[in-house]
């Protein structure tokens, strides 16, 4: 990568470079997981970059509300993963992905600028066109395993 491009990516940070934090919600209703249909036509777990004024739990809940219109409550941690080990790597900076099991409370899809629809999928019904930079089939299956086995330990890299 050219130096000026790298400088542009990190010019707002003068201290030690740290990874970005991405939170992803695993929301289940009737044994099916909630996925959002992204503007680019792919499907993903709802989630996004953790804002500096949010905790992991509150950011996860906020992202679900923004992308789906649904209200959820963060319940427990599923996994903390280094993005480079599990997802398509096309960022110059590091990403730590945090998967959170959430309880659905209320709401229905509301139009927004990030997603075009939501749907619930069974484990054997997952769409082929996943946004693999955000979540892979294996990561969604990991969420199903945590949902079905509440005593499974938190996974981390």
């Amino acid at each position: 990568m050219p130096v000026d491009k790298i400088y542009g990516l990190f010019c707002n940070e003068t201290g030690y470079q740290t990874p970005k934090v991405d939170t992803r919600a695993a929301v289940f209703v009737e044994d099916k997981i909630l996925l959002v249909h992204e503007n680019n036509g792919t499907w993903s777990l709802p989630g996004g970059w953790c804002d500096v004024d949010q905790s992991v739990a509150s950011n996860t809940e906020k992202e679900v509300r923004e992308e789906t219109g649904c209200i959820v409550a963060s319940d427990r941690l599923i996994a903390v993963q280094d993005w480079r080990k599990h997802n398509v790597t096309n960022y110059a900076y590091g990403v730590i992905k945090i998967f959170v099991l959430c309880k659905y409370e209320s709401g229905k899809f509301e139009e927004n600028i990030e997603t075009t629809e939501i749907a619930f999928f069974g484990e054997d019904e997952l769409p082929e066109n996943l946004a693999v930079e955000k979540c892979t089939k294996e990561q969604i299956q990991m969420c199903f395993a945590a949902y079905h086995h509440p005593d499974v330990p938190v996974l981390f890299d």
Side-chain angles (χ1 to χ4, degrees):
M1 239 182 208
V3 172
D4 59 333
K5 180 159 178 117
I6 293 171
Y7 180 80
L9 287 170
F10 299 105
C11 67
N12 64 339
E13 176 60 59
T14 57
Y16 190 77
Q17 294 298 320
T18 59
K20 289 179 170 280
V21 175
D22 176 52
T23 62
R24 294 285 149 186
V27 181
F28 289 88
V29 173
E30 298 177 5
D31 294 328
K32 294 187 175 198
I33 197 165
L34 173 67
L35 298 182
V36 294
H37 198 216
E38 304 278 346
N39 285 335
N40 67 3
T42 60
W43 290 90
S44 176
L45 292 169
W49 299 128
C50 196
D51 295 339
V52 296
D53 62 345
Q54 299 285 321
S55 69
V56 168
S58 67
N59 195 79
T60 304
E61 294 164 4
K62 174 190 71 73
E63 288 290 334
V64 172
R65 190 173 55 255
E66 288 176 355
E67 294 181 3
T68 72
C70 298
I71 306 298
V72 301
S74 296
D75 187 38
R76 67 183 176 92
L77 195 58
I78 297 170
V80 178
Q81 294 183 331
D82 181 335
W83 185 74
R84 292 169 295 179
K85 295 180 180 181
H86 301 277
N87 300 87
V88 175
T89 55
N90 61 359
Y91 292 136
Y93 42 83
V95 177
I96 300 299
K97 299 189 70 61
I98 301 177
F99 294 85
V100 179
L101 188 62
C102 296
K103 290 183 180 176
Y104 171 83
E105 293 185 345
S106 64
K108 61 184 170 74
F109 182 71
E110 294 179 9
E111 269 190 57
N112 63 80
I113 61 170
E114 296 183 65
T115 60
T116 60
E117 65 179 311
I118 63 172
F120 287 88
F121 295 88
E123 192 167 5
D124 59 348
E125 305 169 333
L126 297 177
E128 293 293 321
N129 56 334
L130 293 173
V132 294
E133 72 283 0
K134 295 179 180 181
C135 68
T136 64
K137 183 176 182 179
E138 293 77 20
Q139 288 167 323
I140 295 172
Q141 289 169 331
M142 169 189 71
C143 294
F144 270 98
Y147 170 71
H148 289 303
H149 305 285
D151 295 331
V152 70
V154 173
L155 301 172
F156 64 95
D157 292 333

